[in-house]
Amino acid sequence: MNKSLIAPMPMAPTKWYDGLARYQQQGMAHVLATVVAVNGSAPRELQSKMIVTLDACCDTLGGGSLEHDVTITARQLLNGELEPNESRGFKPLKEGKSEKAQAVRREAVYTKHYPLGAKLAQCCGGSVTVMFECFNVIPPMSLLVFGAGHVAAALMTILAELPCQVDWVDSRAEMFKSYLNADAGTADGQVTYQLPTHIRPHINEDPVDFIQPFVANSMRGDSAKKDTQYFILVMTHDHSLDFDLVRATLDAYVKIGIDSDTDNDLSIDDSKLDSLPYLGCISSATKAKRFRDRLLQRDYNGQIVDKLTMPIGLNTGGKEPMAVAVSIAAQVLQLYNDL
């Protein structure tokens, strides 16, 4: 029977500083809203803060219409619906505005003044100014990593310090044993690991099961994950399993990412290929040639096979686990930043 253990998702934070720490670590887009000026009576004091994401809030600036407008404004900033205006701060983003205009908005700090009177249906009588700071508006990375050997363990040391989401999969429970918390045997039966919350270990007898949902998620394009970049990294202990994972990924590309009526012998739209998740597999040059030959013999389209990066990583020359991990992380970051 398949067994999957993942670190339990913690409850949503209630304090702004807990939310800030979590969303910074996870690479999730969020806004820090801060009261930077108070005149007269106001629901909260100077330097009160709250965090706003696309679907959650942490802490409060006093509730009511003030907080409602702060939340709406913060989400407009996250969605790219406001742009800077020299005389009036920000204004709604016109349809068809360029990516450059959105980039300017993302790099700016926005302040908004709120008179706490009839217009906001507040009876405080004073006024406040709120500063909005956007963080992690550049889409984060989402990585699906297969294998928990020396290179993968070294890679996690690097990914622990980067804004990303990582699902780390291996069929061998013992490979994650060193990461178990001392009090892993909790009352509710959950298993917790000494890993950052954005790195989630999975123990599963059939890792291939993770491929199709991950590729489907990458193509969904919902607002919470819009423009997120996806990476599949294959580095297990078994060459046969590596091949099965690569083949399952290519199958998912054809089934989910490319029109089902595309024939293998016809060319495929480059834009569709470019939108598919990155696929990399650790290997020697000999293993890479063997995999490619086997895939082509099985009538996989050459354009699809070319989506496979093998050997994985930049050519940095080192063969130690950390050196290989650095080369892999460097290649992922290079692609992520479109360098």
Side-chain angles (χ1 to χ4, degrees):
M1 184 176 69
N2 286 349
K3 181 182 181 184
S4 181
L5 299 175
I6 65 172
M9 292 298 293
M11 293 180 62
T14 56
K15 296 296 185 181
W16 69 266
Y17 44 80
D18 291 329
L20 184 64
R22 178 185 298 183
Y23 301 135
Q24 289 279 5
Q25 187 179 56
Q26 293 179 343
M28 182 182 293
H30 59 284
V31 170
L32 173 62
T34 305
V35 176
V36 294
V38 175
N39 182 27
S41 178
R44 290 296 305 274
E45 63 277 8
L46 188 67
Q47 296 184 341
S48 296
K49 303 175 190 294
M50 70 179 293
I51 301 291
V52 181
T53 70
L54 287 171
D55 55 11
C57 294
C58 308
D59 227 317
T60 178
L61 293 187
S65 297
L66 167 64
E67 188 167 304
H68 180 66
D69 189 90
V70 167
T71 302
I72 290 175
T73 301
R75 288 176 177 158
Q76 286 177 322
L77 288 167
L78 292 176
N79 283 320
E81 297 169 5
L82 297 176
E83 67 170 342
N85 179 290
E86 289 183 4
S87 61
R88 300 174 58 189
F90 275 56
K91 63 181 180 180
L93 187 71
K94 294 180 181 178
E95 257 187 70
K97 274 289 185 179
S98 67
E99 292 182 7
K100 183 178 180 181
Q102 293 199 19
V104 172
R105 184 270 312 167
R106 290 172 181 270
E107 293 172 358
V109 173
Y110 174 38
T111 58
K112 188 172 183 179
H113 184 68
Y114 292 93
L116 302 174
K119 187 175 181 180
L120 275 180
Q122 305 249 181
C123 57
C124 298
S127 66
V128 299
T129 301
V130 177
M131 178 175 69
F132 298 79
E133 299 174 87
C134 293
F135 294 92
N136 296 334
V137 287
I138 297 174
M141 298 180 286
S142 181
L143 299 100
L144 179 59
V145 180
F146 293 101
H150 297 298
V151 173
L155 180 63
M156 293 305 147
T157 302
I158 301 171
L159 296 179
E161 303 297 326
L162 296 176
C164 58
Q165 290 287 342
V166 184
D167 288 288
W168 190 15
V169 185
D170 201 296
S171 60
R172 303 164 294 170
E174 64 272 16
M175 300 306 293
F176 295 116
K177 188 175 181 180
S178 62
Y179 298 100
L180 285 172
N181 281 323
D183 57 348
T186 57
D188 59 4
Q190 295 283 359
V191 175
T192 57
Y193 297 92
Q194 293 176 333
L195 286 165
T197 56
H198 66 285
I199 298 179
R200 301 176 293 195
H202 303 261
I203 303 168
N204 195 293
E205 293 175 3
D206 193 359
V208 172
D209 290 345
F210 285 81
I211 295 289
Q212 187 160 325
F214 186 82
V215 175
N217 192 44
S218 75
M219 304 303 293
R220 189 171 295 126
D222 55 56
S223 61
K225 294 182 179 293
K226 187 179 180 181
D227 296 328
T228 297
Q229 295 190 44
Y230 293 80
F231 298 83
I232 299 172
L233 311 180
V234 179
M235 50 184 76
T236 79
H237 62 294
D238 185 334
H239 286 202
S240 296
L241 178 56
D242 284 352
F243 185 78
D244 289 342
L245 290 165
V246 167
R247 188 175 181 185
T249 303
L250 299 185
D251 288 342
Y253 286 173
V254 174
K255 182 176 182 180
I256 300 169
I258 299 173
D259 293 340
S260 58
D261 60 354
T262 300
D263 295 328
N264 277 348
D265 58 345
L266 298 178
S267 62
I268 299 169
D269 187 345
D270 287 343
S271 64
K272 293 181 179 179
L273 287 171
D274 291 341
S275 67
L276 297 172
Y278 167 91
L279 170 62
C281 182
I282 196 167
S283 76
S284 63
T286 300
K287 178 181 174 182
K289 184 179 184 307
R290 184 180 300 123
F291 272 39
R292 180 177 176 81
D293 289 346
R294 289 176 66 187
L295 290 167
L296 293 175
Q297 287 170 6
R298 286 165 171 76
D299 293 327
Y300 281 87
N301 185 291
Q303 290 175 279
I304 292 293
V305 175
D306 287 342
K307 286 294 295 180
L308 170 61
T309 299
M310 192 174 181
I312 192 174
L314 301 180
N315 185 10
T316 57
K319 293 187 178 181
E320 301 84 359
M322 182 54 77
V324 177
V326 166
S327 76
I328 294 170
Q331 186 173 66
V332 168
L333 286 171
Q334 187 180 67
L335 293 168
Y336 173 67
N337 292 304
D338 194 25
L339 298 176

